[in-house]
């Protein structure tokens, strides 16, 4: 994938060099995708992909190496997110 200079959410705004989205528009695109493809429900999206209480999407993200787990608590996320979390809550 190559950034095009136009926001991928479809708003038509220009983006910075190397960016797919205008600031914050990645979340707009994510919400629109869920609404368009799964009728607005994150639960339906999880279910369609085989996740739910019986199969943790968070554990899967960690297992696949896309996310990491905080060494001191339950929190998981991207490396940057966990680093920020650790500075805030485990310093």
């Amino acid at each position: 994938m190559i950034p095009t200079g136009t926001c991928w959410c479809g708003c038509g705004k220009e983006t910075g060099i190397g960016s797919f989205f205008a600031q914050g528009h990645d979340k707009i695109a994510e919400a629109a995708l869920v609404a368009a493809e799964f009728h607005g429900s994150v639960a339906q999206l999880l279910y369609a992909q085989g996740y739910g209480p019986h199969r943790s999407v968070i554990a899967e993200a960690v297992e696949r190496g896309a996310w990491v787990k905080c060494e001191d608590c339950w929190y998981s996320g991207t490396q940057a997110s966990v680093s920020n979390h650790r500075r805030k809550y485990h310093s």
Side-chain angles (χ1 to χ4, degrees):
M1 297 185 332
I2 299 172
T4 62
T6 303
C7 185
W8 280 35
C9 83
C11 69
K13 289 188 176 189
E14 290 185 20
T15 60
I17 295 172
S19 295
F20 291 97
F21 298 99
Q23 187 174 4
H25 288 215
D26 57 331
K27 293 298 179 187
I28 292 170
E30 180 181 45
L33 177 63
V34 169
E37 297 295 329
F38 297 97
H39 309 290
S41 171
V42 172
Q44 287 174 320
L45 171 61
L46 289 169
Y47 180 79
Q49 299 301 313
Y51 297 105
H54 63 285
R55 181 175 171 224
S56 170
V57 69
I58 293 171
E60 188 77 17
V62 171
E63 184 177 311
R64 291 185 183 193
W67 277 12
V68 296
K69 185 175 182 334
C70 176
E71 298 170 4
D72 297 314
C73 70
W74 60 269
Y75 186 83
S76 297
T78 64
Q79 183 63 59
S81 178
V82 172
S83 294
N84 287 336
H85 162 83
R86 289 182 54 76
R87 276 193 296 278
K88 187 173 182 179
Y89 296 105
H90 303 296
S91 56

